[in-house]
Amino acid sequence: MEQSDFNDAHFLKVALLNKNFGGQRSIIDLSFHLNPKECLGIIGPNGAGKTTLFNLLSGIIPSTSGSIIWLNQEIQKKSAVQISYLGIARTFQNIRLFKQLTVLENIRIAYDTQLTYTPLDALLRSPHAIKEEKKSIHASMELLDLFSMTSLAYEAAGGLSYGDQRRLEIARALALRPRLLLLDEPAAGMNEAEMNKLMELLRWIQKEFTLSMLLIEHHMPFIMGLCNRMLVLDFGQLIAEGTPEEIRQNRRVIEAYLGEEEKNEF
Amino acid sequence: MDYIAQQVINAFQLGSIYALIALGYSLVYGVLSMINFAHGDLFMLGAFTCLLLEAIVPIPLWIVLPLTMITIGFLGALLERLAYRPIRNAPRVSAIITSLGCGLIIENITLAISPYPRHMPTLLQNSTIHFYGITISFLQILVVGVSLTLMLLLDFIIRFTSLGMAIRALSCDRVMVSLLGIPANRIISLTFALGGALGGAAGLLYALAYPVISSSMGILIGWKAFVAAVIGGIGSIRGALLGAYILGTTEVISVTILPSTYRDLIAYSLLLIILVFKPYGILGEPPLQKV
Amino acid sequence: MQQQANKEERLRSPGDAFNKRGLQSKYIVWLQNIGLLLLGGVASMLIPKFFNNYITFVLITLIINAILCVSLNLINGYMGEFSVGHAAFMALGAYSSAIITVKIAPTLPIFFLFPLAVTAGGFVAALVGVPLAILSFKTRGDYLAIITLSFLMIVKSGLENISYVGGPRGFLGIPQLTTLPWAYFWGVLTFWILRNFINSKWGRSITAIREDEIAAQAMGVSTRSAKMMTFVISSFFAGVAGGLFAQQIQFINPSSFDILKSTNILVMVYLGGVGSLSGSLVGAVVFTLLYQLLQPFGVWRLVIMPLLLVLLMIFRPRGIMGFREWTWLQPKESRTKGVDHSVL
């Protein structure tokens, strides 16, 4: 089953995707694809539509036109909940944890998608429900252990340090057992050492969970350490695609980042 | 013919009173995005203030009106200072609960002091005017006239004075306004005073038109005006007026067809129906949600 | 080896410690719980025999208040929405159960009649909770509060216009069926079911919705079914409380279910503590006793209660037990020892 997916060209394929906010076009005719087990980096200046793209992929906002094909299914009309069940998980640019809940509860809420008990089981607390609940606690604790956060399990998520909050958000996304992980600036606000640790962690996660990743990031060394291929967005359009080396030398990318004025000076 | 015309005037009179109160709800919602449930009780206090002033010295209407407005305006600002300012940065639920609580406090204090409904003394000789076979009482002209004048005055203040400009700025971005050196707290107090004054005037006019006043007026009539503000789209001045006249008309029509006990049922059902189809009222806009 | 043991230690979930003590102690704890519950039941039967009617009355009121408080806490505390329409659900339960005991089946033996009436009251309230839940899918915050408010007004003025149940004059001649043991039974049932619900995946779903609805959806929380269940369960138990109330007071009229009633329930919720079963219990106890103690103040009592609410909002918005829980109100495997909530 797993193997047959990898041979499929329609792992994730985005075609002519558009998103308009009123009159403003945030994503314009965007097409790209993602291969299984690949880590694809997405860069672009502020307001290029990177986060909007993630919101469209995860079903949080509806697209205006175009198609998103994920594992042979069109998902552009599906809700965020349906998409999370199809194996796409995400983190947010501005960390969105359930702040007043404990670290364990944060993980468990994502893990709950895998529990199979009925509302009646829940209300009467049947043996089946108790078994499932224990399973969920155990699996969540194991996941926390992989992130060496078991000692924080009963802390409120909002009270964690910034780096721990970022890591918890990744752990929470992994609790959904996703095939594709969307990471929105996971290294924002981190120093060099923290960034290296995070890079290690992500590499390890990708191998351990056989994941594909889409990664939005501004920090080039970070993205180059993880991705072999990257996309560059500017004003909602795809302006370049290729290996990090190719992107570095691409004139349009340099223009997009440095502006038209500087072009004449070089 | 006369009957229909009379009902039209009744609807216009009721709508005008609702509009005056609804403006108070909308002003506060515009500036603080909070529902000031206690506003209905300020309206009720307007009627009682007028009664009290008349009981002390019988003074003519043109003096008692500004006095009532000043008193209730002051009470509105006081309410903001004592109850709402401490919780301004608390979750929005706290604000709703606090205003609900304040409304009940005001209502029940009034109830404890004056447990039975009271009669308003007549301030005006009620003469009628005949006009192409239509009878209009002078009182109705007065209620509508005063209401419209006050609404125009408010419109002038909001549009052309610096206070109005500050109020409009506050409703866009409260943090930015204080950074620009505009005394946000004072503007908020003044907004409450403005809303309170209109509510007080409405209370007085209501007491003239329907001269039995009681402590439950705040919920029975004041909340109707709130319904009107929500129907029109709370936070929007034009919406408040639109909602008030829609509600006034609906109520007058329903009272002519059905027993008067159905009044509340009709009004709140109308609100529910409108919210199902237009979740933010007729002229209201949904709040921006950032992902 | 040592490391392995450490890892085991860290991996151990709170429930595991309990399991490892073995079957024997498991049954002992279980018997203890049953024993305590039975003891309460016996006490509820004996109290009316040894103490006067007033004490029994207050205790029944206390239990009804606790049921109202905990069911509203589900919406206002756990889900973080704001409902002021709880008195309407109570009214629906009260009227439906009274219709059954007075008009439909007054001849049925009490042992069947009473649970039937109360359950029916709960179901009618739950049924009416469904459209409200559907409205809450799209609408949140202030506007949902307005919807519940108009819902309350519609139910109240609707009842005033139905002469079958006495109109504005009220519904008279309801038999007094609510005894202390029955009230105790319903109270325990309510708390047990709500405890189960809160510690299930739907319970976690609604706390996630409270914290961040968009993140919750992205994490696969089906917000609609969670909201639906919450509204239905909450209104069901409000209806049950209404049924108990009608059969206790023997007279109900539409104005006993006005906004002041809703406010009183709100006072209990925010006094005891939002998002906490223990808090609901504390809130109901403190409120009920306070309400009785303030009896001599007459109308001024109606001023003191909202004043208390406002002061709470200003000085302690989370209430006495906000977001904290006594361990005996938590299922074994969800217990968390040493949770530090000071950062919240």
Side-chain angles (χ1 to χ4, degrees), chain B residues 60-77:
Chain B
L61 183 69
W62 59 272
I63 300 178
V64 88
L65 179 68
L67 276 180
T68 308
M69 286 177 72
I70 290 168
T71 317
I72 304 302
F74 175 74
L75 284 176

Side-chain angles (χ1 to χ4, degrees), chain A residues 50 66 231:
Chain A
K50 301 179 301 277
L231 308 175

Side-chain angles (χ1 to χ4, degrees), chain A residues 81 84-85 90 96 99-100 108-109 112-113 115 117 119 122-125 133-134 137 145 150 154 156 176, chain C residues 7 10 13-14 192 196 199-202 204 211-212 215 218-221 229 323 331 333 336 339 344:
Chain A
V81 179
S84 71
Y85 272 87
R90 70 170 293 178
R96 297 184 84 142
K99 288 199 174 69
Q100 294 197 63
R108 287 188 69 188
I109 284 163
D112 280 342
T113 51
L115 297 187
Y117 57 82
L123 292 185
L124 302 178
R125 206 162 183 80
E133 287 282 293
K134 280 182 181 163
I137 293 178
D145 192 51
T150 29
Y154 299 113
L176 279 174
Chain C
K7 194 179 173 188
R10 274 183 292 136
S13 58
W192 182 67
N196 293 347
N199 291 291
S200 74
K201 67 174 180 179
W202 287 280
R204 285 190 291 279
E211 296 295 313
D212 190 332
M219 291 305 125
V221 170
M229 278 185 77
F323 301 119
E333 53 290 348
T336 55
V339 181
L344 303 185

Side-chain angles (χ1 to χ4, degrees), chain B residues 37-38 41 97-111 219 223, chain C residues 258-264 302-303 305-307 309:
Chain B
F37 279 115
D41 297 285
I97 299 173
T98 308
S99 72
L100 205 59
C102 289
L104 287 169
I105 294 171
I106 297 174
E107 183 192 336
N108 290 327
I109 289 178
T110 317
L111 179 71
I219 284 180
W223 280 15
Chain C
D258 58 358
I259 187 72
L260 197 66
K261 186 86 200 172
S262 276
T263 315
N264 283 346
L302 305 180
V303 178
M305 284 304 162
L307 183 66
L309 187 62

